[in-house]
Amino acid sequence: MDLLIVGAGAMGRWFGRTVDADLAFADADPERATAAADDLGGRAVPLDGDEQFDVVCLAVPMRLAAEAVDANAHRATDVMCDVTGSMAAPVAAMREHFDGHERLSLHPLFAPQNGPGNVAAVVDESGPLTDAILADLDSAGNHVFETTPEEHDRAMETVQAATHAAVLSFGLAADNVRDEFATPVSAALDELVASVSGGTPRVYADIQSSFGDGTDRVADAARALAMADPETFADLYRTVARSDTSKDGNEHETDKHDPVE
Ligand SMILES: NC(=O)c1ccc[n+]([C@@H]2O[C@H](COP(=O)([O-])OP(=O)(O)OC[C@H]3O[C@@H](n4cnc5c(N)ncnc54)[C@H](O)[C@@H]3O)[C@@H](O)[C@H]2O)c1
Ligand SMILES: O=C(O)C(=O)C[C@]1(C(=O)O)C=C[C@@H](O)C=C1
């Protein structure tokens, strides 16, 4: 299969490394396309070209996903897919601009250096080439699971926006203290702060813009904990503990709304 990857950044490169295809890269910054093609083997092509490919995969920033579908649909013959991290907007745009062809939305739930891992997938219209892409992801050691755009985007409020807000607000609030004072809990949180703050700021800002309801819930919960008298604090603490126990009982939902009754 020949594959055009639009957006030659971290995720575009990950997709190019993972899928067995003849690669071409296009990017708003042509030097990035050339660098990715040189590193991974393939060629750089103009962003505004008309050459067609079996598969076009969009790896542009999330806020540009829908317009990138519109701008690039004419360059795909068989498959459009995206790895932009949101699903409702690109899937709707692919239905509008690439009706009657194979369509796939993928979200690798890890930074490239932490893969392989879980990959959420909306197989909106399947076919031989989407099957081949999914098989390549699987062969690379990823766990691909099917979801819907609605379920995915809702889950991102918890696993991305709320998670990042909790970790980053700890990073903002924490004082510098001597390492000897670290507890197992504070040390684990320090590691998470380092991991989350080691990414690309604009990627994390886009996640907040898209899924920020999760952050509002974290802010409300932190405020409730800060205002609580000892009895109320203990109630809130038990609410979290109960929900964690129910996870051990094989309930995998992590999204608990309205923690404050
Ligand atoms: N980095 C991660 O850990 C990660 C993991 C999973 C999903 N994602 C998602 O993947 C998307 C890309 O993230 P990334 O980390 O690769 O970002 P990145 O900044 O490394 O790469 C994005 C690339 O897109 C290019 N670009 C911007 N606008 C464009 C346009 N209109 N047309 C063509 N190219 C354009 C940029 O020049 C850049 O090279 C984001 O939406 C992000 O949420 C990121
Ligand atoms: O650093 C990691 O491995 C991540 O999980 C990165 C992370 C995240 O923190 O949610 C960042 C953006 C992606 O869309 C998916 C995963």
Side-chain angles (χ1 to χ4, degrees):
M1 92 178 64
D2 53 38
L3 165 62
L4 171 64
I5 297 173
V6 178
M11 290 320 295
R13 284 167 171 259
W14 170 83
F15 195 73
R17 277 198 308 275
T18 308
V19 173
D20 181 18
D22 293 329
L23 298 176
F25 290 93
D27 196 289
D29 176 351
E31 286 181 12
R32 283 180 160 241
T34 303
D38 289 349
D39 290 349
L40 295 173
R43 56 206 176 91
V45 297
L47 185 58
D48 59 359
D50 279 328
E51 183 184 351
Q52 287 198 302
F53 298 82
D54 300 327
V55 181
V56 171
C57 178
L58 305 171
V60 299
M62 186 188 291
R63 66 185 179 283
L64 304 175
E67 67 186 66
V69 170
D70 185 6
N72 291 286
H74 70 285
R75 304 187 78 175
T77 56
D78 292 56
V79 180
M80 279 210 92
C81 77
D82 83 285
V83 291
T84 61
S86 68
M87 288 187 162
V91 167
M94 285 191 271
R95 283 177 189 165
E96 182 182 347
H97 298 289
F98 206 61
D99 187 28
H101 303 281
E102 295 177 57
R103 300 184 303 277
L104 180 63
S105 186
L106 297 167
H107 188 181
L109 295 161
F110 48 83
Q113 70 272 17
N114 293 332
N118 293 333
V119 180
V122 170
V123 188
D124 206 36
E125 188 65 56
S126 64
L129 292 182
T130 46
D131 287 350
I133 292 168
L134 294 170
D136 286 343
L137 293 175
D138 190 64
S139 301
N142 298 288
H143 168 63
V144 182
F145 66 98
E146 284 210 46
T147 183
T148 63
E150 296 72 25
E151 183 192 35
H152 168 272
D153 287 4
R154 181 81 173 156
M156 292 309 110
E157 291 179 10
T158 291
V159 303
Q160 293 205 294
T163 301
H164 299 161
V167 171
L168 293 172
S169 49
F170 172 76
L172 289 168
D175 277 341
N176 262 335
V177 297
R178 275 169 41 197
D179 287 349
E180 289 94 328
F181 283 116
T183 67
V185 175
S186 74
L189 209 36
D190 281 339
E191 268 188 40
L192 286 174
V193 170
S195 169
V196 172
S197 63
T200 306
R202 193 62 210 246
V203 167
Y204 285 80
D206 282 354
I207 289 168
Q208 291 298 324
S209 300
S210 297
F211 309 122
D213 283 358
T215 301
D216 292 339
R217 298 204 293 271
V218 170
D220 290 347
R223 176 57 49 201
L225 288 168
M227 304 285 285
D229 58 34
E231 201 176 316
T232 310
F233 189 99
D235 282 346
L236 292 171
Y237 185 98
R238 281 188 212 100
T239 303
V240 177
R242 269 198 302 274
S243 140
D244 204 44
T245 309
S246 77
K247 264 185 268 161
D248 288 341
N250 285 336
E251 279 185 26
H252 294 294
E253 276 100 23
T254 55
D255 196 4
K256 352 176 222 321
H257 291 233
D258 301 328
V260 188
E261 305 286 326

